[in-house]
DNA sequence: CATTTTTTTTGGATCGATTCAAATTTCTGC
DNA sequence: GCAGAAATTTGAATCGATCCAAAAAAAATG
């Protein structure tokens, strides 16, 4: 047996090397780093000196990890690309909440995502985490299935569909819908249009009542139900309200607005199921010469910070996003094996995108 | 020896359990999952069936990791709290670039930070990553030292000081300074004030020429040098230009503006070393009844997206932030053991916060 | 100084996989 | 039916630490 031929690319120094060089057992060497108080001061210093001299990088977490069994990190997963976490306003606030809880306990955050489906599966399988928080905005069911296979605790956020077997944190969508609708109705509005999130399949366009009934996404359905329940109470014929399903992005939302304002009785108020759509709507209306809120009122949903900054500032149904993030993280961190479901309240934040219905 | 007394809380199933149950060696069992093509179809299906029946979660990455030696994830570290990554505009754009490179190679991202100094050390020591990207905005030297001990590749970003031994990506601060100064000088401005990033110690307030000379932070010093070189060329007496050192946040920046506009010859142009300060300045000036750019011009530094959205849109020196992020990630991902230093170019982005110097 | 108590140190077992040379089985061709 | 080639399977070794019961050394007690 000979030493590695090239000095330069020697393999990294292991704890066992230090132990041998210092003339102590590997148990003692380990203690020097992980429980220094149990080893005699003299020995401790000697070992440390040897480690220093040999350029030891400290106990390798890879080794420790296997023994410890716990990673002390939580994975946050989504089907969107990784940049989603840094670009999407909703995700960012959520992450701030998650970060807060992680900072407090010293846990790390690993971002899990992937460019394509195969990689996603692999990344979930190989993520070094103790549990997952899932952003189920899109492709939620696949994300959930993949994660379930890891048999680690996980919490679903913004889970569109209903599944009692998984932990989830959501908001009271019906109440949110009602709040938004009542606000507009009380301002005198009677002609509405809805900019809806997806109901099921990947499609965009106007939605029929049957489609609503058979909707897979209960979140969307509930918001709609909330809108309509409340509007009915004000005597509005909800069957006449146009509902346009978008993909919650610019193109399909604009298409929806075009369609809604194409003719017939124009709405004086728009119920948007996300702040994103609401803000796109405001921009579109303004560009079209319609004043918000004088001509058309717009109310959003989510309560992202950007809403306060747009012009006019957005009236919206605010979710306690940061708190949801905090709780989700805590659920993973102090997981006790039970399935937990929490429904958070929402609140109406009145800013300047809504006003009295125009006369006549 | 007896089976675990309580059925419910059995320890997780290991690959070895599957192997035994299926009557194959653990080598074969391992192959079923990691190299299915080498095992006979019949055996493969049998093992898979057993695994399924026993509720095996798939090969545990903790085990694989130790053997493989490579984590396939990069750590992004800072001394700021974790939420910094999701809230700071500059960091966000940088992260988007890093994400892009990681997405492309399937690498994961682990966020490393800490509430306090001890935890930071621990978190860096125990991060499961193949290398680090360091945001050295503040407390950079400590962050670098801590990371150096891990003996893993790392790249420093926004490294304030000069150290040839570490890989870093930065921008040409002198050129940036000159670009900003020339732009203003060409618009006819002759009376300036500088809102400066920190030069060394943690202090705020006006800065003397000696302090500039002995500055630790070469980034700050270089921007300043760029400003002054160019202004001298236009015949401006740079010794009279007030330089106010802030902590790049609201309070100290406002204090700086108060001090600068407290009396004497008021500046017609402000050179801010960050977009953050520039935007705070615009707000402050506007609130004070001074019109930007009619009364006072403001030019920032960084080129964060928010700058385009503020009112008036900010003229600034744009760094290729996303590209820096991409390169940093790539440096870690295809690390070859060499120390790499890159200096990226910057460009002047003229928007509406600068205009001709007011007459008289 | 012998005994008991306390503090340190030791070294084997373990965490959960992957790897690879060698052994075994199956397949080919004649 | 058999030799040789090809395809599978085996099982010991390894990755880098931590844990812990038992042994050894040091300190305290009578």
């Amino acid at each position: 047996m000979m030493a590695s031929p090239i000095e330069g690319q020697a393999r990294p120094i292991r704890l066992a090397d230090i132990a041998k060089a210092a003339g102590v057992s590997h148990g003692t060497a380990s203690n020097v780093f992980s429980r220094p108080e149990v080893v005699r001061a003299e020995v401790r210093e000697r070992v440390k000196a040897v480690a220093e001299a040999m350029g030891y990088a400290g106990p390798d977490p890879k080794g420790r990890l296997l023994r410890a069994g716990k990673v002390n990190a939580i994975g946050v997963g989504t089907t969107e690309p990784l940049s989603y976490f840094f670009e999407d306003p909703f995700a960012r606030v959520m992450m701030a909440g998650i970060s807060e809880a992680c900072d407090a306990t010293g846990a790390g955050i690993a971002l899990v995502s992937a460019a394509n489906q195969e990689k996603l599966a692999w990344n979930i399988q190989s993520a070094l985490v103790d549990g997952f928080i899932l952003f189920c905005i899109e492709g939620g069911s696949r994300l959930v299935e993949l994660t379930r296979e890891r048999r680690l605790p996980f919490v679903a956020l913004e889970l569109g569909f209903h599944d009692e077997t998984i932990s989830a944190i959501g908001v009271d969508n019906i109440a949110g819908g009602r709040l938004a609708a009542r606000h507009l109705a009380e301002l005198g509005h009677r002609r509405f249009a809805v900019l809806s999130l997806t109901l099921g399949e990947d499609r965009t366009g106007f939605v029929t009542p049957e489609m609503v009934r058979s909707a897979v996404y209960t979140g969307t359905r509930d918001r709609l139900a909330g809108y309509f329940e409340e509007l009915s109470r004000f005597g509005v014929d909800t069957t006449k309200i146009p509902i346009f399903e978008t993909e919650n992005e610019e193109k399909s939302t604009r298409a929806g607005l075009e369609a809604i304002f194409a003719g017939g009785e124009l709405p004086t108020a728009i119920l948007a199921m996300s702040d994103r759509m609401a803000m796109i709507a405001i921009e579109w209306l303004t560009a079209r010469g319609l004043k918000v809120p004088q001509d058309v009122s717009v109310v959003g949903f989510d309560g992202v910070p950007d809403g306060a900054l747009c012009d006019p500032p957005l009236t919206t149904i605010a979710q306690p996003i940061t708190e949801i993030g905090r709780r989700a993280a805590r659920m993973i961190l102090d997981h006790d094996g039970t399935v937990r479901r929490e429904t958070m309240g929402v609140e109406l934040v009145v800013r300047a995108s809504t006003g009295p219905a125009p006369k006549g």
Side-chain angles (χ1 to χ4, degrees), chain A:
Chain A
M1 196 187 285
M2 41 193 282
S4 70
I6 302 147
E7 280 283 353
Q9 52 159 301
R11 51 123 78 161
I13 287 88
R14 304 181 331 280
L15 187 51
D17 302 327
I18 303 299
K20 196 186 295 175
V24 298
S25 72
H26 59 266
T28 299
S30 172
N31 284 336
V32 168
F33 293 95
S34 48
R35 303 151 71 207
E37 70 284 0
V38 312
V39 12
R40 197 151 43 101
E42 185 205 327
V43 176
R44 195 197 313 147
E45 295 315 317
R46 177 157 47 94
V47 175
K48 273 189 181 165
V50 170
E52 175 73 20
M54 295 180 70
Y56 181 53
D60 187 330
K62 294 199 286 294
R64 188 199 352 259
L65 175 61
L66 183 54
R67 182 74 236 215
K70 203 159 169 279
V71 187
N72 199 32
I74 82 181
V76 187
T78 168
T79 53
E80 306 282 316
L82 278 174
S83 59
Y84 170 77
F85 292 114
F86 306 103
E87 290 172 347
D88 184 80
F90 185 83
R92 284 168 42 212
V93 179
M94 191 72 88
M95 290 308 300
I98 295 173
S99 302
E100 221 176 87
C102 287
D103 260 335
T105 61
I109 294 181
L111 269 16
V112 179
S113 152
N116 58 61
Q117 294 285 324
E118 290 158 53
K119 278 206 169 162
L120 180 62
W122 172 254
N123 286 350
I124 289 178
Q125 276 163 28
S126 59
L128 290 158
V129 297
D130 299 316
F132 289 92
I133 293 176
L134 266 22
F135 278 53
C136 301
I137 341 92
E138 206 191 328
S141 62
R142 186 165 154 68
L143 189 58
V144 166
E145 284 323 311
L146 248 19
T147 306
R148 209 200 287 271
E149 283 173 19
R150 267 299 290 272
R151 287 165 214 259
L152 286 176
F154 69 93
V155 192
L157 263 25
E158 294 288 295
L159 187 64
F161 52 91
H162 199 70
D163 184 336
E164 281 292 348
T165 69
I166 67 193
S167 292
I169 304 183
V171 295
D172 189 339
N173 287 304
I174 298 188
R178 298 177 81 142
L179 240 30
R182 180 177 325 150
H183 171 63
L184 291 172
E186 285 176 350
L187 284 167
H189 293 275
R190 289 299 177 270
R191 296 201 310 277
F192 300 86
V194 174
L195 247 21
S196 173
L197 291 171
T198 188
L199 280 159
E201 321 108 82
D202 264 347
R203 70 176 285 283
T204 64
F206 282 114
V207 166
T208 62
E210 301 86 63
M211 292 167 68
V212 174
R213 240 168 282 127
S214 64
V216 187
Y217 285 92
T218 54
T220 306
R221 205 186 51 198
D222 287 352
R223 290 184 191 182
L224 213 45
Y227 291 152
F228 284 11
E229 265 179 39
E230 197 66 21
L231 293 182
S232 305
R233 192 162 302 183
F234 281 85
V236 175
D237 178 2
T238 59
T239 61
K240 289 210 185 132
I241 297 177
I243 306 170
F244 196 98
E245 186 178 8
T246 78
E247 284 174 319
N248 197 28
E249 37 67 83
E250 191 127 357
K251 198 175 156 209
S252 55
T253 305
R254 285 173 172 279
L257 289 159
E258 299 279 2
I260 289 167
F261 284 85
E265 268 207 331
L266 300 185
T268 63
I270 294 180
L271 290 152
M273 283 198 201
S274 77
D275 284 352
R276 180 108 178 249
M277 289 192 281
M279 285 172 354
I280 294 169
I282 290 177
E283 215 180 291
W284 186 89
L285 290 165
T286 308
R288 218 185 184 227
L290 287 165
K291 287 213 181 79
V292 179
Q294 291 82 351
D295 299 324
V296 181
S297 284
V298 177
V299 45
F301 206 116
D302 284 347
V304 301
D306 307 29
L309 272 39
C310 79
D311 183 32
L314 184 67
T315 293
T316 192
I317 302 301
Q319 302 189 31
I321 312 179
T322 312
E323 178 62 18
I324 293 175
R326 264 190 233 114
R327 290 197 186 206
R330 220 122 53 190
M331 257 193 208
I332 301 301
L333 263 10
D334 358 293
H335 181 253
D336 59 356
T338 63
V339 172
R340 273 195 158 56
R341 320 201 100 239
E342 294 192 29
T343 301
M344 314 281 294
V346 293
E347 70 186 22
L348 171 70
V349 175
V350 179
R351 288 196 281 245
S353 68
T354 48
K359 290 176 195 108

